[in-house]
């Protein structure tokens, strides 16, 4: 049947992900985070690890080039793909929030929202029947209110350090976020045994 391929998110989730595999006595420590190599075969474990940009993990899994993936719930909410969400791995926890300038008063209006998550933001404000203009940015979202580009941001917050350093505060919480194990729908049936075995092991360590 070949190796079970798993797409992993590079960046902040990777450390937590490798740590969880470590707890399963799977040593992937030779994955050099700075190397340009993008996939690693571990014949002994029957696994191939693919290193990918976090927002691309669900795409690899949907198209079946990876059987499984580990992706943040933020990415899954923003870019809905036809994949099975199998498990909450309870790692890389953070929160999706709306933030505003520290000087923002209760009565100040919010017309413009800058975000890397336009779909999440739009759904959230639509549900509240609060029409806003969404401005898509690809990073450093905190600059939005500081430069007067937007009245608020929708972003993820972990420690709160970035908000604090940029004199922003949480206005409202949207939802908790953590890393999820996802599967390609065909692989989930064809490689059901291997996938269930891995899930059982993961269940014991999360
Ligand atoms: C995320 C997020 C915030 C920061 C929050 O950015 O967009 O900027 O982390 O973390 P904190 O609450 O612990 O300070 P990330 O580092 O993923 O990169 P980005 O700036 O490209 O979005």
């Amino acid at each position: 049947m070949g190796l079970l391929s798993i797409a992993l998110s590079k960046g902040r989730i990777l450390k937590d992900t490798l740590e969880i595999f470590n707890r399963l006595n799977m040593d992937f420590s030779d994955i050099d985070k700075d190397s340009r190599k993008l996939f690693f075969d571990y014949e002994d474990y029957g696994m191939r690890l693919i290193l990918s940009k976090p927002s691309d993990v669900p795409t690899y899994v949907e198209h079946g080039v990876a059987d499984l993936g580990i992706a943040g719930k933020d990415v899954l909410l923003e870019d809905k793909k036809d994949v099975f969400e199998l498990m909450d791995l309870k790692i890389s926890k953070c929160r999706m929030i709306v933030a505003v300038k520290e000087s923002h008063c209760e009565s100040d209006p919010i017309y413009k929202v800058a975000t890397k998550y336009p779909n999440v933001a739009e759904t959230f404000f639509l549900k509240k029947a609060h029409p806003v203009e969404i401005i898509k940015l690809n990073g450093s979202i905190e600059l939005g209110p500081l430069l007067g580009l937007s009245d608020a941001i929708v972003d993820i917050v972990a420690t709160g350090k970035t908000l604090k350093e940029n004199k922003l505060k949480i206005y409202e919480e949207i939802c908790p976020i953590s890393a999820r194990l996802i599967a390609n729908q065909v692989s989930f049936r064809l490689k059901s045994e291997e996938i269930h075995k891995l899930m059982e092991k993961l269940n014991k360590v999360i």
Side-chain angles (χ1 to χ4, degrees):
M1 188 71 80
L3 301 175
L4 189 65
S5 55
I6 310 185
L8 303 184
S9 302
K10 286 194 283 189
R12 60 171 74 205
I13 296 188
L14 188 61
K15 192 170 156 275
D16 291 349
T17 304
L18 295 180
E19 212 268 314
I20 216 171
F21 281 119
N22 222 341
R23 282 185 238 157
L24 301 181
N25 293 320
M26 290 177 173
D27 180 12
F28 298 131
S29 56
D30 57 321
I31 290 188
D32 177 5
K33 284 162 231 168
D34 298 322
S35 109
R36 306 305 289 171
K37 196 174 164 194
L38 295 175
F39 68 83
F40 301 80
D41 288 346
Y42 295 92
E43 305 280 347
D44 290 355
Y45 305 139
M47 278 159 69
R48 162 173 289 183
L49 300 188
I50 302 164
L51 293 188
S52 140
K53 204 176 159 190
S55 52
D56 289 337
V57 168
T59 308
Y60 286 126
V61 174
E62 182 183 51
H63 289 271
V65 293
D67 300 308
L68 297 174
I70 294 181
K73 184 70 180 174
D74 53 332
V75 168
L76 297 169
L77 285 172
E78 177 58 27
D79 201 9
K80 294 210 162 62
K81 298 283 183 192
D82 279 331
V83 295
F84 290 140
E85 190 178 314
L86 301 180
M87 276 175 85
D88 181 353
L89 296 172
K90 301 184 177 139
I91 52 169
S92 305
K93 288 185 183 174
C94 55
R95 292 174 291 157
M96 183 74 74
I97 51 99
V98 181
V100 291
K101 282 206 269 192
E102 271 173 10
S103 57
H104 185 101
C105 303
E106 194 76 29
S107 56
D108 289 345
I110 294 178
Y111 297 126
K112 292 183 180 181
V113 177
T115 185
K116 208 162 60 171
Y117 303 96
N119 294 326
V120 173
E122 190 168 351
T123 308
F124 178 74
F125 282 99
L126 259 180
K127 267 193 195 151
K128 293 166 72 76
H130 179 161
V132 291
E133 179 187 343
I134 309 280
I135 301 167
K136 165 91 198 287
L137 292 177
N138 291 303
S140 307
I141 318 300
E142 297 79 10
L143 278 174
L146 300 182
L147 298 180
L149 177 70
S150 68
D151 308 304
I153 61 170
V154 164
D155 201 5
I156 51 171
V157 60
T159 60
K161 196 166 167 267
T162 312
L163 288 183
K164 202 160 180 235
E165 278 177 6
N166 289 292
K167 296 196 170 12
L168 299 173
K169 64 180 178 187
I170 294 177
Y171 178 80
E172 214 171 335
E173 186 155 334
I174 299 181
C175 61
I177 300 290
S178 56
R180 309 293 160 107
L181 179 70
I182 58 173
N184 172 268
Q185 300 187 351
V186 175
S187 300
F188 187 68
R189 292 186 185 94
L190 292 181
K191 299 189 176 179
S192 156
E193 203 181 316
E194 293 101 305
I195 293 174
H196 277 100
K197 266 189 202 156
L198 179 65
M199 286 171 66
E200 265 171 42
K201 287 190 205 161
L202 285 168
N203 250 324
K204 286 185 188 143
V205 296
I206 60 172

PDB file of all heavy atoms in Angstrom, residues 1-8 39-41 46-50 60-61 64-70 181-184 187 191 194-195 198:
ATOM      1  N   MET A   1       0.833  -1.220   0.000  1.00  0.00           N
ATOM      2  CA  MET A   1       0.000   0.000   0.000  1.00  0.00           C
ATOM      3  C   MET A   1       0.864   1.266   0.000  1.00  0.00           C
ATOM      4  O   MET A   1       0.394   2.359  -0.230  1.00  0.00           O
ATOM      5  CB  MET A   1      -0.915  -0.038   1.234  1.00  0.00           C
ATOM      6  CG  MET A   1      -1.977   1.047   1.283  1.00  0.00           C
ATOM      7  SD  MET A   1      -3.327   0.878   0.110  1.00  0.00           S
ATOM      8  CE  MET A   1      -4.346  -0.337   0.944  1.00  0.00           C
ATOM      9  N   GLY A   2       2.166   1.143   0.281  1.00  0.00           N
ATOM     10  CA  GLY A   2       3.037   2.318   0.294  1.00  0.00           C
ATOM     11  C   GLY A   2       3.014   3.028   1.632  1.00  0.00           C
ATOM     12  O   GLY A   2       2.338   2.599   2.570  1.00  0.00           O
ATOM     13  N   LEU A   3       3.755   4.114   1.671  1.00  0.00           N
ATOM     14  CA  LEU A   3       3.871   4.848   2.931  1.00  0.00           C
ATOM     15  C   LEU A   3       2.616   5.669   3.192  1.00  0.00           C
ATOM     16  O   LEU A   3       1.949   6.107   2.264  1.00  0.00           O
ATOM     17  CB  LEU A   3       5.084   5.785   2.862  1.00  0.00           C
ATOM     18  CG  LEU A   3       6.457   5.138   2.604  1.00  0.00           C
ATOM     19  CD1 LEU A   3       7.530   6.205   2.440  1.00  0.00           C
ATOM     20  CD2 LEU A   3       6.806   4.190   3.738  1.00  0.00           C
ATOM     21  N   LEU A   4       2.325   5.871   4.474  1.00  0.00           N
ATOM     22  CA  LEU A   4       1.228   6.762   4.856  1.00  0.00           C
ATOM     23  C   LEU A   4       1.804   8.176   4.825  1.00  0.00           C
ATOM     24  O   LEU A   4       2.738   8.482   5.570  1.00  0.00           O
ATOM     25  CB  LEU A   4       0.769   6.389   6.273  1.00  0.00           C
ATOM     26  CG  LEU A   4      -0.496   7.034   6.812  1.00  0.00           C
ATOM     27  CD1 LEU A   4      -1.728   6.598   6.008  1.00  0.00           C
ATOM     28  CD2 LEU A   4      -0.679   6.665   8.289  1.00  0.00           C
ATOM     29  N   SER A   5       1.270   9.015   3.947  1.00  0.00           N
ATOM     30  CA  SER A   5       1.878  10.348   3.833  1.00  0.00           C
ATOM     31  C   SER A   5       1.106  11.367   4.659  1.00  0.00           C
ATOM     32  O   SER A   5      -0.134  11.384   4.663  1.00  0.00           O
ATOM     33  CB  SER A   5       1.957  10.776   2.373  1.00  0.00           C
ATOM     34  OG  SER A   5       0.696  10.707   1.791  1.00  0.00           O
ATOM     35  N   ILE A   6       1.852  12.174   5.374  1.00  0.00           N
ATOM     36  CA  ILE A   6       1.230  13.165   6.264  1.00  0.00           C
ATOM     37  C   ILE A   6       1.793  14.548   5.956  1.00  0.00           C
ATOM     38  O   ILE A   6       3.015  14.750   6.022  1.00  0.00           O
ATOM     39  CB  ILE A   6       1.502  12.850   7.755  1.00  0.00           C
ATOM     40  CG1 ILE A   6       1.169  11.387   8.057  1.00  0.00           C
ATOM     41  CG2 ILE A   6       0.698  13.778   8.658  1.00  0.00           C
ATOM     42  CD1 ILE A   6       1.286  11.022   9.514  1.00  0.00           C
ATOM     43  N   ALA A   7       0.919  15.485   5.628  1.00  0.00           N
ATOM     44  CA  ALA A   7       1.357  16.864   5.388  1.00  0.00           C
ATOM     45  C   ALA A   7       1.379  17.610   6.716  1.00  0.00           C
ATOM     46  O   ALA A   7       0.378  17.656   7.436  1.00  0.00           O
ATOM     47  CB  ALA A   7       0.405  17.551   4.412  1.00  0.00           C
ATOM     48  N   LEU A   8       2.542  18.161   7.031  1.00  0.00           N
ATOM     49  CA  LEU A   8       2.692  18.904   8.291  1.00  0.00           C
ATOM     50  C   LEU A   8       2.811  20.388   8.000  1.00  0.00           C
ATOM     51  O   LEU A   8       3.407  20.786   6.995  1.00  0.00           O
ATOM     52  CB  LEU A   8       3.946  18.441   9.038  1.00  0.00           C
ATOM     53  CG  LEU A   8       4.067  16.964   9.386  1.00  0.00           C
ATOM     54  CD1 LEU A   8       5.330  16.739  10.210  1.00  0.00           C
ATOM     55  CD2 LEU A   8       2.847  16.477  10.153  1.00  0.00           C
ATOM     56  N   PHE A  39      10.208  16.782   1.736  1.00  0.00           N
ATOM     57  CA  PHE A  39       9.592  15.576   2.282  1.00  0.00           C
ATOM     58  C   PHE A  39      10.615  14.554   2.737  1.00  0.00           C
ATOM     59  O   PHE A  39      11.728  14.523   2.258  1.00  0.00           O
ATOM     60  CB  PHE A  39       8.521  14.986   1.368  1.00  0.00           C
ATOM     61  CG  PHE A  39       9.021  14.413   0.078  1.00  0.00           C
ATOM     62  CD1 PHE A  39       9.529  13.119   0.029  1.00  0.00           C
ATOM     63  CD2 PHE A  39       8.944  15.140  -1.086  1.00  0.00           C
ATOM     64  CE1 PHE A  39       9.965  12.579  -1.165  1.00  0.00           C
ATOM     65  CE2 PHE A  39       9.392  14.612  -2.289  1.00  0.00           C
ATOM     66  CZ  PHE A  39       9.906  13.336  -2.334  1.00  0.00           C
ATOM     67  N   PHE A  40      10.196  13.783   3.684  1.00  0.00           N
ATOM     68  CA  PHE A  40      11.090  12.871   4.387  1.00  0.00           C
ATOM     69  C   PHE A  40      10.412  11.513   4.501  1.00  0.00           C
ATOM     70  O   PHE A  40       9.289  11.430   4.996  1.00  0.00           O
ATOM     71  CB  PHE A  40      11.365  13.398   5.811  1.00  0.00           C
ATOM     72  CG  PHE A  40      11.996  14.763   5.824  1.00  0.00           C
ATOM     73  CD1 PHE A  40      11.217  15.908   5.639  1.00  0.00           C
ATOM     74  CD2 PHE A  40      13.360  14.906   6.012  1.00  0.00           C
ATOM     75  CE1 PHE A  40      11.796  17.171   5.641  1.00  0.00           C
ATOM     76  CE2 PHE A  40      13.950  16.165   6.013  1.00  0.00           C
ATOM     77  CZ  PHE A  40      13.166  17.294   5.826  1.00  0.00           C
ATOM     78  N   ASP A  41      11.091  10.452   4.049  1.00  0.00           N
ATOM     79  CA  ASP A  41      10.533   9.102   4.138  1.00  0.00           C
ATOM     80  C   ASP A  41      11.098   8.373   5.355  1.00  0.00           C
ATOM     81  O   ASP A  41      12.312   8.398   5.578  1.00  0.00           O
ATOM     82  CB  ASP A  41      10.850   8.300   2.876  1.00  0.00           C
ATOM     83  CG  ASP A  41      10.018   8.793   1.691  1.00  0.00           C
ATOM     84  OD1 ASP A  41       9.050   9.546   1.924  1.00  0.00           O
ATOM     85  OD2 ASP A  41      10.336   8.430   0.559  1.00  0.00           O
ATOM     86  N   GLY A  46       6.783   3.452   8.300  1.00  0.00           N
ATOM     87  CA  GLY A  46       5.808   3.380   7.210  1.00  0.00           C
ATOM     88  C   GLY A  46       5.210   4.735   6.878  1.00  0.00           C
ATOM     89  O   GLY A  46       4.058   4.832   6.443  1.00  0.00           O
ATOM     90  N   MET A  47       5.988   5.796   7.111  1.00  0.00           N
ATOM     91  CA  MET A  47       5.432   7.139   6.933  1.00  0.00           C
ATOM     92  C   MET A  47       6.286   8.043   6.064  1.00  0.00           C
ATOM     93  O   MET A  47       7.505   7.942   6.061  1.00  0.00           O
ATOM     94  CB  MET A  47       5.254   7.799   8.314  1.00  0.00           C
ATOM     95  CG  MET A  47       3.966   7.341   8.987  1.00  0.00           C
ATOM     96  SD  MET A  47       3.976   7.562  10.748  1.00  0.00           S
ATOM     97  CE  MET A  47       3.919   9.298  10.889  1.00  0.00           C
ATOM     98  N   ARG A  48       5.606   8.903   5.327  1.00  0.00           N
ATOM     99  CA  ARG A  48       6.268   9.980   4.595  1.00  0.00           C
ATOM    100  C   ARG A  48       5.754  11.301   5.158  1.00  0.00           C
ATOM    101  O   ARG A  48       4.536  11.521   5.218  1.00  0.00           O
ATOM    102  CB  ARG A  48       5.949   9.897   3.105  1.00  0.00           C
ATOM    103  CG  ARG A  48       6.225  11.204   2.362  1.00  0.00           C
ATOM    104  CD  ARG A  48       6.071  11.087   0.870  1.00  0.00           C
ATOM    105  NE  ARG A  48       7.178  10.296   0.318  1.00  0.00           N
ATOM    106  CZ  ARG A  48       7.348  10.061  -0.987  1.00  0.00           C
ATOM    107  NH1 ARG A  48       6.482  10.548  -1.861  1.00  0.00           N
ATOM    108  NH2 ARG A  48       8.365   9.354  -1.406  1.00  0.00           N
ATOM    109  N   LEU A  49       6.647  12.177   5.571  1.00  0.00           N
ATOM    110  CA  LEU A  49       6.231  13.488   6.085  1.00  0.00           C
ATOM    111  C   LEU A  49       6.486  14.550   5.024  1.00  0.00           C
ATOM    112  O   LEU A  49       7.576  14.601   4.447  1.00  0.00           O
ATOM    113  CB  LEU A  49       6.993  13.836   7.365  1.00  0.00           C
ATOM    114  CG  LEU A  49       6.822  12.882   8.547  1.00  0.00           C
ATOM    115  CD1 LEU A  49       7.471  13.469   9.788  1.00  0.00           C
ATOM    116  CD2 LEU A  49       5.350  12.596   8.827  1.00  0.00           C
ATOM    117  N   ILE A  50       5.487  15.353   4.771  1.00  0.00           N
ATOM    118  CA  ILE A  50       5.610  16.427   3.782  1.00  0.00           C
ATOM    119  C   ILE A  50       5.522  17.751   4.530  1.00  0.00           C
ATOM    120  O   ILE A  50       4.576  17.975   5.295  1.00  0.00           O
ATOM    121  CB  ILE A  50       4.445  16.348   2.755  1.00  0.00           C
ATOM    122  CG1 ILE A  50       4.452  14.981   2.061  1.00  0.00           C
ATOM    123  CG2 ILE A  50       4.517  17.496   1.763  1.00  0.00           C
ATOM    124  CD1 ILE A  50       3.167  14.662   1.336  1.00  0.00           C
ATOM    125  N   TYR A  60      -3.296  19.837  -0.068  1.00  0.00           N
ATOM    126  CA  TYR A  60      -2.594  18.580  -0.339  1.00  0.00           C
ATOM    127  C   TYR A  60      -3.451  17.382   0.037  1.00  0.00           C
ATOM    128  O   TYR A  60      -3.508  16.382  -0.665  1.00  0.00           O
ATOM    129  CB  TYR A  60      -1.281  18.504   0.463  1.00  0.00           C
ATOM    130  CG  TYR A  60      -0.172  19.388  -0.068  1.00  0.00           C
ATOM    131  CD1 TYR A  60       0.480  20.296   0.752  1.00  0.00           C
ATOM    132  CD2 TYR A  60       0.231  19.296  -1.394  1.00  0.00           C
ATOM    133  CE1 TYR A  60       1.504  21.110   0.272  1.00  0.00           C
ATOM    134  CE2 TYR A  60       1.245  20.104  -1.889  1.00  0.00           C
ATOM    135  CZ  TYR A  60       1.877  21.010  -1.050  1.00  0.00           C
ATOM    136  OH  TYR A  60       2.878  21.804  -1.530  1.00  0.00           O
ATOM    137  N   VAL A  61      -4.141  17.511   1.165  1.00  0.00           N
ATOM    138  CA  VAL A  61      -4.950  16.383   1.650  1.00  0.00           C
ATOM    139  C   VAL A  61      -6.192  16.207   0.765  1.00  0.00           C
ATOM    140  O   VAL A  61      -6.533  15.089   0.373  1.00  0.00           O
ATOM    141  CB  VAL A  61      -5.338  16.587   3.140  1.00  0.00           C
ATOM    142  CG1 VAL A  61      -6.287  15.497   3.604  1.00  0.00           C
ATOM    143  CG2 VAL A  61      -4.073  16.586   4.007  1.00  0.00           C
ATOM    144  N   GLY A  64      -5.320  14.426  -2.283  1.00  0.00           N
ATOM    145  CA  GLY A  64      -4.822  13.063  -2.087  1.00  0.00           C
ATOM    146  C   GLY A  64      -3.320  12.909  -2.253  1.00  0.00           C
ATOM    147  O   GLY A  64      -2.826  11.789  -2.265  1.00  0.00           O
ATOM    148  N   VAL A  65      -2.571  14.005  -2.389  1.00  0.00           N
ATOM    149  CA  VAL A  65      -1.118  13.835  -2.437  1.00  0.00           C
ATOM    150  C   VAL A  65      -0.575  13.573  -1.036  1.00  0.00           C
ATOM    151  O   VAL A  65       0.532  13.095  -0.859  1.00  0.00           O
ATOM    152  CB  VAL A  65      -0.372  15.019  -3.108  1.00  0.00           C
ATOM    153  CG1 VAL A  65      -0.710  15.091  -4.587  1.00  0.00           C
ATOM    154  CG2 VAL A  65      -0.676  16.331  -2.422  1.00  0.00           C
ATOM    155  N   ALA A  66      -1.391  13.909  -0.034  1.00  0.00           N
ATOM    156  CA  ALA A  66      -1.104  13.475   1.334  1.00  0.00           C
ATOM    157  C   ALA A  66      -2.352  12.747   1.831  1.00  0.00           C
ATOM    158  O   ALA A  66      -3.473  13.184   1.568  1.00  0.00           O
ATOM    159  CB  ALA A  66      -0.802  14.674   2.234  1.00  0.00           C
ATOM    160  N   ASP A  67      -2.132  11.602   2.527  1.00  0.00           N
ATOM    161  CA  ASP A  67      -3.288  10.866   3.073  1.00  0.00           C
ATOM    162  C   ASP A  67      -3.864  11.616   4.261  1.00  0.00           C
ATOM    163  O   ASP A  67      -5.072  11.665   4.465  1.00  0.00           O
ATOM    164  CB  ASP A  67      -2.845   9.473   3.549  1.00  0.00           C
ATOM    165  CG  ASP A  67      -2.253   8.643   2.423  1.00  0.00           C
ATOM    166  OD1 ASP A  67      -2.921   8.526   1.374  1.00  0.00           O
ATOM    167  OD2 ASP A  67      -1.124   8.129   2.588  1.00  0.00           O
ATOM    168  N   LEU A  68      -2.948  12.143   5.069  1.00  0.00           N
ATOM    169  CA  LEU A  68      -3.349  12.840   6.296  1.00  0.00           C
ATOM    170  C   LEU A  68      -2.689  14.209   6.334  1.00  0.00           C
ATOM    171  O   LEU A  68      -1.738  14.475   5.601  1.00  0.00           O
ATOM    172  CB  LEU A  68      -2.888  12.050   7.526  1.00  0.00           C
ATOM    173  CG  LEU A  68      -3.458  10.654   7.739  1.00  0.00           C
ATOM    174  CD1 LEU A  68      -2.755   9.987   8.921  1.00  0.00           C
ATOM    175  CD2 LEU A  68      -4.964  10.712   7.988  1.00  0.00           C
ATOM    176  N   GLY A  69      -3.178  15.043   7.221  1.00  0.00           N
ATOM    177  CA  GLY A  69      -2.540  16.344   7.404  1.00  0.00           C
ATOM    178  C   GLY A  69      -2.746  16.811   8.827  1.00  0.00           C
ATOM    179  O   GLY A  69      -3.669  16.355   9.517  1.00  0.00           O
ATOM    180  N   ILE A  70      -1.863  17.688   9.265  1.00  0.00           N
ATOM    181  CA  ILE A  70      -2.062  18.320  10.570  1.00  0.00           C
ATOM    182  C   ILE A  70      -2.133  19.818  10.305  1.00  0.00           C
ATOM    183  O   ILE A  70      -1.170  20.434   9.832  1.00  0.00           O
ATOM    184  CB  ILE A  70      -0.942  17.935  11.554  1.00  0.00           C
ATOM    185  CG1 ILE A  70      -1.055  16.424  11.831  1.00  0.00           C
ATOM    186  CG2 ILE A  70      -1.072  18.744  12.856  1.00  0.00           C
ATOM    187  CD1 ILE A  70      -0.052  15.864  12.798  1.00  0.00           C
ATOM    188  N   LEU A 181      -6.137  16.739  13.133  1.00  0.00           N
ATOM    189  CA  LEU A 181      -5.702  15.707  12.189  1.00  0.00           C
ATOM    190  C   LEU A 181      -6.791  15.590  11.135  1.00  0.00           C
ATOM    191  O   LEU A 181      -7.972  15.392  11.474  1.00  0.00           O
ATOM    192  CB  LEU A 181      -5.523  14.369  12.923  1.00  0.00           C
ATOM    193  CG  LEU A 181      -5.091  13.198  12.044  1.00  0.00           C
ATOM    194  CD1 LEU A 181      -3.640  13.366  11.574  1.00  0.00           C
ATOM    195  CD2 LEU A 181      -5.237  11.869  12.780  1.00  0.00           C
ATOM    196  N   ILE A 182      -6.404  15.757   9.866  1.00  0.00           N
ATOM    197  CA  ILE A 182      -7.396  15.651   8.790  1.00  0.00           C
ATOM    198  C   ILE A 182      -7.001  14.527   7.836  1.00  0.00           C
ATOM    199  O   ILE A 182      -5.835  14.121   7.795  1.00  0.00           O
ATOM    200  CB  ILE A 182      -7.544  16.978   8.010  1.00  0.00           C
ATOM    201  CG1 ILE A 182      -6.194  17.436   7.407  1.00  0.00           C
ATOM    202  CG2 ILE A 182      -8.108  18.074   8.901  1.00  0.00           C
ATOM    203  CD1 ILE A 182      -6.315  18.638   6.479  1.00  0.00           C
ATOM    204  N   ALA A 183      -7.977  14.015   7.086  1.00  0.00           N
ATOM    205  CA  ALA A 183      -7.691  12.902   6.179  1.00  0.00           C
ATOM    206  C   ALA A 183      -8.325  13.125   4.817  1.00  0.00           C
ATOM    207  O   ALA A 183      -9.407  13.714   4.710  1.00  0.00           O
ATOM    208  CB  ALA A 183      -8.215  11.593   6.762  1.00  0.00           C
ATOM    209  N   ASN A 184      -7.657  12.612   3.808  1.00  0.00           N
ATOM    210  CA  ASN A 184      -8.246  12.545   2.476  1.00  0.00           C
ATOM    211  C   ASN A 184      -9.375  11.509   2.534  1.00  0.00           C
ATOM    212  O   ASN A 184      -9.218  10.452   3.156  1.00  0.00           O
ATOM    213  CB  ASN A 184      -7.163  12.121   1.468  1.00  0.00           C
ATOM    214  CG  ASN A 184      -7.744  11.849   0.099  1.00  0.00           C
ATOM    215  OD1 ASN A 184      -8.097  10.709  -0.213  1.00  0.00           O
ATOM    216  ND2 ASN A 184      -7.853  12.880  -0.711  1.00  0.00           N
ATOM    217  N   SER A 187      -8.336   8.071   0.987  1.00  0.00           N
ATOM    218  CA  SER A 187      -7.296   7.421   1.816  1.00  0.00           C
ATOM    219  C   SER A 187      -7.900   6.886   3.101  1.00  0.00           C
ATOM    220  O   SER A 187      -7.492   5.836   3.601  1.00  0.00           O
ATOM    221  CB  SER A 187      -6.198   8.413   2.194  1.00  0.00           C
ATOM    222  OG  SER A 187      -5.587   8.937   1.067  1.00  0.00           O
ATOM    223  N   LYS A 191      -6.839   3.268   3.415  1.00  0.00           N
ATOM    224  CA  LYS A 191      -5.781   3.042   4.410  1.00  0.00           C
ATOM    225  C   LYS A 191      -6.358   3.084   5.819  1.00  0.00           C
ATOM    226  O   LYS A 191      -5.700   3.531   6.759  1.00  0.00           O
ATOM    227  CB  LYS A 191      -4.677   4.089   4.234  1.00  0.00           C
ATOM    228  CG  LYS A 191      -4.009   4.024   2.872  1.00  0.00           C
ATOM    229  CD  LYS A 191      -2.787   4.903   2.791  1.00  0.00           C
ATOM    230  CE  LYS A 191      -2.096   4.744   1.444  1.00  0.00           C
ATOM    231  NZ  LYS A 191      -0.917   5.594   1.303  1.00  0.00           N
ATOM    232  N   GLU A 194      -4.265   1.502   8.834  1.00  0.00           N
ATOM    233  CA  GLU A 194      -3.095   2.284   9.284  1.00  0.00           C
ATOM    234  C   GLU A 194      -3.556   3.570   9.977  1.00  0.00           C
ATOM    235  O   GLU A 194      -3.001   3.971  11.005  1.00  0.00           O
ATOM    236  CB  GLU A 194      -2.215   2.710   8.097  1.00  0.00           C
ATOM    237  CG  GLU A 194      -1.527   1.585   7.391  1.00  0.00           C
ATOM    238  CD  GLU A 194      -2.262   1.243   6.104  1.00  0.00           C
ATOM    239  OE1 GLU A 194      -3.480   0.978   6.190  1.00  0.00           O
ATOM    240  OE2 GLU A 194      -1.625   1.220   5.036  1.00  0.00           O
ATOM    241  N   ILE A 195      -4.566   4.212   9.398  1.00  0.00           N
ATOM    242  CA  ILE A 195      -5.008   5.493   9.956  1.00  0.00           C
ATOM    243  C   ILE A 195      -5.617   5.286  11.346  1.00  0.00           C
ATOM    244  O   ILE A 195      -5.325   6.026  12.284  1.00  0.00           O
ATOM    245  CB  ILE A 195      -5.988   6.203   8.986  1.00  0.00           C
ATOM    246  CG1 ILE A 195      -5.243   6.630   7.708  1.00  0.00           C
ATOM    247  CG2 ILE A 195      -6.637   7.418   9.650  1.00  0.00           C
ATOM    248  CD1 ILE A 195      -6.099   7.203   6.596  1.00  0.00           C
ATOM    249  N   LEU A 198      -2.894   4.708  13.900  1.00  0.00           N
ATOM    250  CA  LEU A 198      -2.221   5.955  14.272  1.00  0.00           C
ATOM    251  C   LEU A 198      -3.118   6.785  15.196  1.00  0.00           C
ATOM    252  O   LEU A 198      -2.658   7.334  16.205  1.00  0.00           O
ATOM    253  CB  LEU A 198      -1.857   6.762  13.009  1.00  0.00           C
ATOM    254  CG  LEU A 198      -1.180   8.099  13.266  1.00  0.00           C
ATOM    255  CD1 LEU A 198       0.199   7.910  13.926  1.00  0.00           C
ATOM    256  CD2 LEU A 198      -0.997   8.897  11.959  1.00  0.00           C
TER     257      LEU A 198
END
